[in-house]
């Protein structure tokens, strides 16, 4: 089945992890044997060949670079201009992948439909097909000023999450509190003018509700799970889920183990021992469906390129290609064939067609 994954930090993996994502996962792991500078060395699960193997032909791919004020202990860049430059390096990697025929930018309805026609062409093998990507910015700190957003739109940016972790220049993110800043309200207005999708993921509760009050455009949550199942501010409360459903949003189920099962300890817990399987993601998706009363607001947003590997993802996932096992899990839960297609790709496609019509 054709799969859309709505959140992969591909350029971060390539640039900051120094991974050649044109190689198969096993070759990337082999090259990283003995390295300890990153927590998931030799355990990564994402590469372009595995995306093709898993029939994952379209992804939402990120740029990400955090600005950190002097009192912010999180890792990041010491000026917005440095953060902007980092995102431009990440953009250059995507453009190089396009030049190599590995990827293709999807920026409007015409390019989306062309890409779908290519991937639905059974006469060509997946190895001959570029992976489509929709460019998203995770955390808006690198937008030096709101007029930079026009430049970003022109090079292909189509979705923005105003915050990531901690306090931000435009909004407050995971583990922080407080509403969006006045500059953040200006950002939302410019996003609305440009028809840039608002990514609600990572907004703290105060900033989430503030954004809902001030933004009238299209909203999605590319990679979020449910607070009712794992109690953390990174997750959505049932009230937030209801608001997103009312906004015709789609919420992508994430596969970072600490977001899936309660009590996870980073660097200590084991996926098998914690019973963290792909079935647990279905638990989160099903919870959203019970709130919505249908299966029209869920999808996949794996986050499997997000600085964790096999040690912190479902034990029954060796690489991202194993997303192909999810339809059987949904069928076992009683989801119809139409529902399953919607989860794997249809809901994201309906959202994009509506946003870009």
């Amino acid at each position: 089945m054709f799969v859309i994954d709505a959140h992969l930090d591909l350029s971060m993996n390539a640039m900051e992890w120094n991974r050649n994502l044109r190689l198969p996962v096993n070759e990337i792991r082999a090259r990283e044997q003995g390295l300890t500078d990153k927590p998931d060395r030799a355990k990564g699960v994402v590469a372009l060949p595995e995306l093709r193997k898993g029939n994952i032909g379209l992804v939402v791919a990120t740029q990400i670079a955090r600005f950190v004020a002097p009192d912010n202990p999180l890792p990041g860049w010491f000026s917005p201009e440095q953060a902007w430059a980092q995102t431009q390096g990440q953009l250059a990697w995507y453009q190089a992948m396009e030049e190599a025929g590995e990827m293709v930018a999807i920026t409007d309805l015409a390019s989306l439909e062309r890409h779908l026609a290519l991937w639905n062409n059974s006469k060509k093998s997946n190895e001959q097909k570029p992976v489509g990507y929709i460019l998203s910015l995770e955390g808006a700190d690198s937008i030096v000023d709101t007029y930079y957003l026009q430049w970003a739109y022109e090079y292909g940016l189509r979705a923005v999450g105003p915050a990531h972790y901690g306090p931000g220049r435009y909004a407050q993110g995971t583990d922080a509190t407080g509403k969006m800043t006045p500059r953040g309200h200006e950002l939302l207005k410019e996003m609305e003018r440009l028809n840039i999708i608002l990514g609600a993921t990572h907004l703290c509760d105060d900033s989430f509700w503030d954004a809902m009050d001030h933004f009238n455009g299209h909203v999605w949550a590319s990679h979020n799970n449910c607070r009712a199942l794992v109690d953390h501010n990174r997750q959505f409360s049932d009230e937030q889920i209801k608001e997103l459903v009312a906004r015709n949003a789609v919420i992508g189920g994430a596969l970072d183990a600490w977001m899936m099962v309660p009590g996870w300890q980073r660097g200590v817990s084991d996926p098998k021992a914690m019973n963290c399987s792909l079935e647990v993601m279905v638990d989160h998706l099903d919870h959203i469906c019970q709130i919505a009363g249908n299966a029209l607001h869920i999808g996949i947003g794996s986050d499997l390129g997000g600085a964790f590997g096999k040690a912190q993802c479902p034990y029954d996932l060796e690489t991202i290609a194993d997303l192909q096992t999810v339809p059987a899990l949904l069928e076992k839960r009683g989801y119809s064939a139409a529902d399953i297609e919607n989860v794997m790709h249809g809901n994201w496609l309906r959202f994009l067609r509506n946003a870009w019509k």
Side-chain angles (χ1 to χ4, degrees):
M1 184 174 293
F2 185 75
V3 179
I4 296 176
D5 188 333
H7 189 84
L8 288 175
D9 298 303
L10 296 179
S11 63
M12 184 185 77
N13 257 244
M15 300 296 290
E16 296 184 45
W17 268 245
N18 196 16
R19 285 173 169 161
N20 181 359
L21 298 182
R22 300 180 72 180
L23 299 177
V25 159
N26 63 342
E27 292 187 33
I28 296 172
R29 290 177 182 172
R31 181 148 192 184
E32 293 182 354
Q33 289 293 332
L35 298 181
T36 58
D37 59 315
K38 302 287 186 182
D40 62 334
R41 285 302 188 197
K43 298 173 184 174
V45 298
V46 176
L48 290 165
E50 271 65 38
L51 289 173
R52 294 188 180 94
K53 182 180 177 182
N55 209 35
I56 307 162
L58 180 61
V59 302
V60 179
T62 69
Q63 298 168 290
I64 179 170
R66 182 190 296 112
F67 161 72
V68 290
D71 59 347
N72 189 338
L74 292 169
W77 303 98
F78 289 174
S79 73
E81 292 81 5
Q82 288 171 273
W84 169 263
Q86 178 71 5
T87 66
Q88 298 314 288
Q90 293 168 352
L91 173 66
W93 180 80
Y94 288 120
Q95 292 171 336
M97 291 301 98
E98 289 189 69
E99 185 66 23
E102 295 277 2
M103 301 182 74
V104 61
I106 307 301
T107 59
D108 55 21
L109 199 54
S111 57
L112 175 65
E113 300 299 353
R114 281 197 304 271
H115 187 66
L116 293 173
L118 172 65
W119 271 78
N120 286 328
N121 182 356
S122 59
K123 295 179 181 178
K124 296 188 73 172
S125 70
N126 282 7
E127 286 73 21
Q128 298 173 290
K129 300 172 185 175
V131 174
Y133 75 99
I134 299 165
L135 192 61
S136 174
L137 180 64
E138 187 171 27
D141 286 353
S142 60
I143 301 294
V144 178
D145 208 331
T146 50
Y147 65 84
Y148 274 62
L149 203 57
Q150 176 74 50
W151 298 348
Y153 181 85
E154 290 171 1
Y155 67 59
L157 186 66
R158 291 297 180 267
V160 172
H164 190 224
Y165 276 81
R169 299 175 62 231
Y170 295 99
Q172 319 317 318
T174 299
D175 293 333
T177 59
K179 294 184 177 182
M180 298 188 71
T181 65
R183 189 194 300 264
H185 293 157
E186 294 174 12
L187 182 79
L188 293 180
K189 289 179 182 177
E190 185 66 357
M191 288 171 60
E192 201 172 314
R193 183 184 74 82
L194 293 167
N195 194 30
I196 290 177
I197 297 160
L198 170 63
T201 296
H202 280 296
L203 288 171
C204 76
D205 289 7
D206 297 330
S207 285
F208 173 90
W209 292 110
D210 195 18
M212 295 303 106
D213 287 341
H214 287 87
F215 187 72
N216 299 305
H218 302 281
V219 182
W220 69 20
S222 58
H223 57 306
N224 254 97
N225 291 343
C226 303
R227 197 175 299 181
L229 302 185
V230 177
D231 188 11
H232 190 278
N233 68 80
R234 167 70 176 80
Q235 316 276 69
F236 281 144
S237 69
D238 287 1
E239 289 305 309
Q240 289 172 307
I241 292 168
K242 290 175 184 176
E243 175 67 19
L244 290 168
V245 169
R247 302 276 301 232
N248 295 314
V250 179
I251 303 168
L255 290 173
D256 194 340
W258 81 266
M259 295 171 57
M260 299 175 69
V261 295
W264 183 272
Q265 294 178 276
R266 285 186 180 89
V268 176
S269 297
D270 174 74
K272 186 75 172 178
M274 297 292 285
N275 197 30
C276 182
S277 65
L278 285 166
E279 188 109 33
V280 177
M281 180 186 69
V282 178
D283 291 340
H284 286 267
L285 296 179
D286 187 68
H287 183 79
I288 296 168
C289 291
Q290 300 311 313
I291 292 173
N294 56 56
L296 297 175
H297 299 277
I298 55 170
I300 306 295
S302 74
D303 199 14
L304 286 171
F308 64 94
K310 269 196 62 61
Q312 195 170 301
C313 71
Y315 66 78
D316 50 353
L317 184 143
E318 181 63 28
T319 77
I320 195 169
D322 292 324
L323 288 178
Q324 280 296 334
T325 65
V326 173
L329 300 178
L330 291 164
E331 183 179 20
K332 188 172 72 172
R333 296 287 185 99
Y335 284 81
S336 70
D339 286 338
I340 294 168
E341 288 192 6
N342 279 334
V343 175
M344 302 311 292
H345 60 261
N347 289 334
W348 292 122
L349 291 180
R350 186 189 69 253
F351 180 98
L352 289 167
R353 285 165 173 154
N354 183 52
W356 291 348
K357 65 185 177 184

